């Protein structure tokens, strides 16, 4: 028979094991690649980064983003040295290769009713303003909420070398029904609960969806 002390140790170990779930790390991919796979594009297309094209007309493009005449969404097959712009033709200060070259990891720890999360990025726009949002996928469409739930702790400024780190607590578990989204804010401001104007001052750059 188990003694009282052994039984208590077993109970504590079981409880601690349930609380301290092992952390799992996932790699981000470009939002352009994710979007193109999901929408079955023939070539990788980025709805949030634009290139100059004298023949482009103003129209509503993917994800409802309206581009000004002379600019169109960028394709992955284009020259990596091509400068990128907002939908209104404002320079984003990066080339297509630099924009697509951003990398990131998300390390998630299941804490029961919440999820601990730490993020590490490289290749971001130096000193750029970024925020993390959660995509909620459903049959009725996709909705977005700030990753911390409040829009207070989900933003950060990339370092001068383009790296960035942030840690926060996500309200609730993270499943395949959610995606973790990195948004670049080209106006240099945090946007709290909202992402901003898509393609204008809010540009989806990286995303990860857990298996």
């Amino acid at each position: 028979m188990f003694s009282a002390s052994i039984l208590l140790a077993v109970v504590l170990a079981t409880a601690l094991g349930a609380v301290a779930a092992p952390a799992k790390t996932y790699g981000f991919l470009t939002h352009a690649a994710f979007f193109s796979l999901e929408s079955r594009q023939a070539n990788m297309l980025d709805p949030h980064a634009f290139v100059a094209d004298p023949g482009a007309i103003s129209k509503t493009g993917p994800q409802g983003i309206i581009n000004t005449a002379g600019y169109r969404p960028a394709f992955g097959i284009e020259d990596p040295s091509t400068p990128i712009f907002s939908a209104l033709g404002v320079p984003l200060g990066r080339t297509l290769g630099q924009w697509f070259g951003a990398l990131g990891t998300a390390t998630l720890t299941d804490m029961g009713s919440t999820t601990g999360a730490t993020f590490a990025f490289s290749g971001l726009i130096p000193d750029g303003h970024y925020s993390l949002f959660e995509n909620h996928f459903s049959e009725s469409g996709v909705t977005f909420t700030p990753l911390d739930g409040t829009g207070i702790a989900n933003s950060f400024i990339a370092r001068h070398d383009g790296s960035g780190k942030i840690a926060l607590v996500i309200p609730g578990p993270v499943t395949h029904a959610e995606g973790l989204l990195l948004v670049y804010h080209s106006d240099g401001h945090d946007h709290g609960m909202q992402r901003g104007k898509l393609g204008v001052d809010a540009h989806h750059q990286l995303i990860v969806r857990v298996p």
Side-chain angles (χ1 to χ4, degrees), residues 3 15 17 31 44 50 58 67 77 81 92 101 103 113 119 121 125 128 132 159 164 166 185 196 206:
S3 67
H31 177 266
M44 189 173 77
F50 296 78
S58 178
N67 63 277
I77 60 175
S81 65
L92 297 186
L103 300 170
S113 60
F119 300 89
F121 300 100
I125 294 180
L132 286 159
R159 296 171 181 167
I166 184 173
H185 300 288
L206 297 174

Side-chain angles (χ1 to χ4, degrees), residues 29-45:
L29 72 159
T30 64
H31 177 266
F34 179 83
F35 167 80
S36 298
L37 287 170
E38 291 289 306
S39 58
R40 299 182 180 180
Q41 300 290 323
N43 295 306
M44 189 173 77
L45 180 148

Side-chain angles (χ1 to χ4, degrees), residues 58-84:
S58 178
K59 66 178 183 179
T60 301
Q63 298 196 325
I65 299 172
I66 302 173
N67 63 277
T68 193
Y71 297 89
R72 59 164 173 77
F75 287 97
I77 60 175
E78 299 189 77
D79 186 342
S81 65
T82 303
I84 58 172

